[in-house]
């Protein structure tokens, strides 16, 4: 099979690494890719936003199958344009990607199909939103409706903070994404990420993980795309996975089919495990980043065959096996991330650091300049390791990081703390 992967981050490097190991792969291309991905795929500097250019590339290279990594091309309808050209693709249609592209859409779906989530209201003007905030009181959550690169959510513990967030949205802080606002009940509990491969009818559970969204040690500081993750998520017991599938995922699949937008691709449920069980925080319609990096280290089966089965509508014939050993990834970010990451600092020692069977280093935001590896984004490297325990995986990841010479970068020192506390038997 000739395969094209779309994307340029650590998630795509992990997917490329796993796809490249498939015996059914003939040739792997990546658009646009990065220097790490270039070790396992041929990268081309085309623009994923130019769908006609992507379709033409697929025809020229006899691409049999396209895997779309990030959400933006999906929400823009790249899967529809590829399918219209007769090309098989892993990823939802534009209509199905509304599960990620519009928080209001998803909340309405939850209400209609009885999917557990926080109480909410949608607003298209600041005054009405603010009076609802005052009525409900804090803590309360304010969300820009559309895609805001992970920045459109404010969890407010004071009413004033929520009111300011409403104003910021309607004053254009998130551009068009904030033209509508969802105000939502604050959910208390432990967060977990849950993944399912979907083919429009069947949802096949595809692993659990927990990430660390805050930039600083001890879960402090600004929200980020994720500073590290581990898999599996201890809170996602077999019973909790079963409940999540029955109470959230299956009604979502049925609901999407019923409204004429069957979901195919990967459904990534951001969950709050509350005292009453799993509740939906949000759906993403693509793999998690950096959750994918840890999932790929644990996946025993052929990723390419699984993704193709999802695209072909035959997931009911597939199963998934995982390595029991946990995996953990630490994100190394460029100084200044998330507000204003500095570009261009030189990174040394990555090869030496990955010289351990338990360690894989995925490139997230790197570039090559004059023969040297340099930072080219906010999140730059994902140092990923497996071990018999989360603690062992953590030790291996930080030992690898110690070999990387990058004064322009930083990372959290406590990735996995919650799981490690559980391993030690500490009360949380
Ligand atoms: P999101 O961009 O929707 O993933 O939200 C970012 C983060 O905000 C989530 O990972 C949660 O930690 C938090 N969050 C979002 N919605 C809620 C909610 N209803 N209750 C509590 N925390 C939330
Ligand atoms: N790590 C969270 C996400 O991919 O959205």
């Amino acid at each position: 099979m000739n395969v094209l992967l779309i994307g340029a981050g650590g998630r795509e490097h992990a997917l490329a690494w796993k796809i490249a190991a498939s015996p059914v792969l003939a040739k792997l291309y990546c658009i646009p890719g990065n220097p790490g991905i270039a070790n396992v795929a041929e990268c081309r500097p085309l623009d994923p936003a130019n769908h006609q250019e992507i379709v033409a590339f697929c025809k020229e290279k006899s691409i049999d199958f396209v895997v779309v990594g990030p959400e933006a091309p999906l929400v823009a309808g790249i899967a529809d344009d590829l399918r219209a050209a007769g090309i098989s693709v892993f990823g939802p249609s534009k209509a199905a990607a509304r599960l990620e592209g519009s928080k209001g859409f998803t909340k309405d779906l939850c209400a209609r199909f009885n999917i557990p989530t926080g109480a909410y209201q949608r607003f298209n003007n600041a005054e009405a939103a603010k009076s609802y905030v005052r009525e409900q009181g804090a803590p309360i959550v304010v969300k820009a409706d559309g895609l805001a690169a992970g920045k459109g959510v404010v969890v407010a513990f004071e009413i004033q903070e929520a009111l300011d967030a409403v104003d910021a949205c309607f004053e254009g802080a998130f551009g068009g994404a904030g033209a509508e606002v969802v105000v939502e009940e604050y959910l208390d509990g432990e967060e977990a990420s849950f993944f399912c491969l979907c083919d429009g009818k069947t949802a096949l559970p595809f692993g659990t993980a927990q990430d660390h969204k805050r930039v600083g040690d001890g879960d402090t500081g600004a929200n980020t795309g994720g500073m590290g993750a581990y898999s599996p998520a201890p809170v996602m017991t077999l019973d909790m996975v079963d409940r999540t599938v029955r109470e959230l995922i299956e009604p979502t699949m049925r609901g999407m089919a019923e409204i004429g937008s069957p979901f195919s691709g990967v459904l990534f449920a951001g969950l709050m495990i509350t005292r009453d069980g799993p509740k939906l925080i949000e759906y993403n319609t693509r793999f998690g980043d950096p959750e994918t990096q840890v999932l790929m280290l644990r996946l025993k089966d052929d990723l390419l065959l699984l993704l193709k089965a999802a695209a072909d509508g035959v997931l009911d014939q597939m199963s998934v096996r995982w390595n029991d050993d946990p995996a953990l990834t630490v994100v190394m970010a460029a100084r200044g991330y998330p507000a204003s990451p500095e570009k261009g600092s030189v990174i040394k020692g990555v090869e030496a650091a990955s010289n351990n069977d338990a360690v894989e280093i995925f490139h997230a935001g790197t570039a090559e300049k004059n023969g040297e590896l340099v930072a080219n984004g906010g999140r730059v490297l994902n140092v990923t390791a497996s071990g018999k325990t989360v603690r062992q995986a953590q030790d291996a990841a930080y030992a690898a990081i110690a070999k990387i010479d990058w004064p322009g970068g930083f990372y959290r020192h406590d990735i996995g703390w919650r799981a490690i506390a559980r391993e030690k038997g500490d009360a949380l």
Side-chain angles (χ1 to χ4, degrees):
M1 217 186 305
N2 291 330
V3 178
L4 168 64
L5 172 66
I6 296 195
R11 165 184 52 210
E12 286 77 23
H13 188 183
L15 293 172
W17 173 73
K18 199 69 189 161
I19 290 171
S22 170
V24 297
L25 179 74
K27 171 101 186 165
L28 179 60
Y29 294 92
C30 186
I31 292 176
N34 68 36
I37 296 174
N39 291 325
V40 289
E42 189 175 324
C43 297
R44 291 299 178 95
L46 301 180
D47 179 7
N50 186 339
H51 298 181
Q52 286 326 308
E53 196 172 67
I54 302 293
V55 167
F57 179 85
C58 291
K59 299 248 148 117
E60 183 195 325
K61 300 295 181 191
S62 306
I63 299 293
D64 302 296
F65 186 44
V66 179
V67 177
V68 184
E71 63 275 18
L74 293 168
V75 170
I78 198 168
D80 309 68
D81 290 338
L82 286 161
R83 287 191 189 109
I87 300 159
S88 174
V89 47
F90 177 80
S93 66
K94 181 175 182 164
R98 283 179 295 173
L99 281 176
E100 175 159 3
S102 167
K103 297 195 188 316
F105 169 84
T106 300
K107 298 296 281 190
D108 287 353
L109 189 91
C110 288
R112 180 164 161 197
F113 294 96
N114 222 354
I115 297 160
T117 187
Y120 75 105
Q121 290 228 0
R122 303 174 72 169
F123 297 97
N124 57 19
N125 74 84
E127 278 324 304
K130 289 202 275 195
S131 56
Y132 181 71
V133 165
R134 287 195 195 94
E135 217 175 278
Q136 297 295 313
I140 194 153
V141 184
V142 177
K143 300 184 172 183
D145 180 77
L147 290 186
K151 298 193 181 91
V153 174
V154 171
V155 180
F157 290 93
E158 307 285 341
I159 292 211
Q160 193 55 47
E161 206 185 338
L163 298 176
D164 292 348
V166 168
D167 280 331
C169 277
F170 286 113
E171 281 162 13
F174 308 110
E180 191 180 318
V181 164
V182 173
V183 181
E184 187 180 296
E185 174 192 357
Y186 172 78
L187 299 172
D188 195 19
E190 185 172 340
E191 284 189 66
S193 303
F194 178 59
F195 300 85
C196 285
L197 297 181
C198 302
D199 67 1
K201 312 177 291 286
T202 302
L204 181 64
F206 197 66
T208 65
Q210 274 176 315
D211 83 349
H212 298 62
K213 290 235 161 88
R214 300 301 189 107
V215 72
D217 287 359
D219 294 330
T220 54
N223 241 322
T224 70
M227 292 299 290
Y230 52 91
S231 171
V235 70
M236 293 303 287
T237 57
L238 285 178
D239 177 55
M240 199 58 75
V241 166
D242 194 52
R243 277 191 71 176
T244 305
V245 170
R246 266 187 296 116
E247 296 172 21
L248 281 77
I249 307 295
E250 286 176 353
T252 300
M253 293 293 284
R254 275 199 303 275
M256 292 300 283
E258 195 174 315
I259 66 168
S261 310
F263 186 86
S264 110
V266 57
L267 190 58
F268 164 4
L271 302 174
M272 191 68 86
I273 307 304
T274 70
R275 284 170 50 185
D276 303 329
K279 292 196 178 179
L280 184 71
I281 297 177
E282 63 161 3
Y283 277 131
N284 296 303
T285 61
R286 38 102 191 147
F287 281 108
D289 190 350
E291 289 93 332
T292 305
Q293 290 80 317
V294 283
L295 290 182
M296 292 305 106
L297 229 62
R298 295 187 53 231
L299 178 63
K300 282 188 179 169
D301 290 301
D302 186 325
L303 177 68
L304 183 51
L305 290 180
L306 283 161
L307 301 183
K308 189 73 173 84
D312 290 346
V314 293
L315 273 182
D316 56 342
Q317 298 166 24
M318 305 297 282
S319 60
V320 186
R321 290 166 308 153
W322 300 98
N323 195 326
D324 286 336
D325 290 354
L328 178 142
T329 189
V330 180
V331 171
M332 297 185 80
R335 259 201 229 140
Y337 177 75
S340 47
E342 295 165 19
K343 282 193 179 180
S345 54
V346 175
I347 307 163
K348 292 201 168 107
V350 172
E351 226 160 89
S354 37
N355 193 11
N356 172 343
D357 285 346
V359 174
E360 286 298 327
I361 299 183
F362 297 116
H363 290 226
T366 64
E368 240 156 34
K369 209 169 164 191
N370 306 325
E372 289 187 306
L373 194 66
V374 300
N376 189 40
R379 295 187 291 174
V380 173
L381 292 171
N382 308 136
V383 181
T384 313
S386 53
K388 288 285 160 215
T389 59
V390 178
R391 180 71 213 221
Q392 266 189 21
Q394 188 199 49
D395 285 345
Y398 285 114
I401 285 178
K403 296 183 190 151
I404 296 175
D405 174 13
W406 180 30
F410 75 96
Y411 54 89
R412 276 184 60 163
H413 302 82
D414 60 349
I415 299 303
W417 68 265
R418 201 188 281 273
I420 289 167
R422 269 210 179 84
E423 282 174 350
K424 287 200 301 202
D426 291 355
L428 287 174

